[in-house]
Amino acid sequence: MPSAIRLAHTLIWFVVEAAVVHLLWTGLTGRRGRAVAVSATLVVGETAVFVVNGFRCPLTDLAEAAGAEHGSVTDTYLPGWLAHNLPAIHTPLGMLLLWLHRESIGDAVARLGAGQWSRRRASARRASSNRSRSGSE
């Protein structure tokens, strides 16, 4: 069982790292699109899971329950020095990715804000229309 957890942990790491490399490449080349959004969702989702779990991988408890002395991010099929330093590597890399994609992020935030604003305006118009109709009856 511990080797299955270790393999799963390594595969998850590989998928997230592929998404990080994709975001780096698309950020450097100025590309946008759905694939970028999927990669960003994977990276943000993995980061959120890590943060919500108290900066501890959820697989740690599973690895320890299966008999590992101390399950951790180093419980992967990665070189120990790399596994141990992943948080130190990913923090500046994450900041770089945010900077490279700052324009896309700004556009997405603006679209969300505009969408909320237009929905509120439409809702207010419907309410006003309903009030005027019910007042004229």
Side-chain angles (χ1 to χ4, degrees):
M1 182 67 160
S3 60
I5 296 168
R6 192 173 186 187
L7 178 62
H9 204 187
T10 304
L11 291 174
I12 292 168
W13 173 85
F14 181 77
V15 169
V16 171
E17 291 308 309
V20 167
V21 169
H22 182 249
L23 288 172
L24 184 59
W25 178 70
T26 56
L28 291 170
T29 59
R31 296 175 187 248
R32 294 181 176 194
R34 289 183 187 196
V36 175
V38 169
S39 291
T41 301
L42 284 170
V43 172
V44 169
E46 188 271 341
T47 302
V49 166
F50 189 68
V51 170
V52 166
N53 205 48
F55 294 93
R56 179 178 163 99
C57 178
L59 292 178
T60 299
D61 296 330
L62 193 59
E64 289 173 350
E69 285 186 36
H70 37 80
S72 69
V73 73
T74 59
D75 187 28
T76 59
Y77 291 109
L78 298 174
W81 65 268
L82 175 61
H84 182 71
N85 290 304
L86 283 175
I89 294 167
H90 280 127
T91 300
L93 187 54
M95 300 306 288
L96 174 62
L97 293 175
L98 287 171
W99 184 78
L100 289 172
H101 289 278
R102 68 192 179 280
E103 190 174 310
S104 295
I105 294 167
D107 291 349
V109 168
R111 277 193 311 273
L112 284 174
Q116 288 176 352
W117 176 251
S118 63
R119 282 192 300 273
R120 286 181 187 159
R121 283 192 343 219
S123 178
R125 273 184 266 148
R126 280 193 303 273
S128 174
S129 175
N130 289 340
R131 279 192 301 268
S132 66
R133 272 191 249 144
S134 64
S136 64
E137 293 179 341

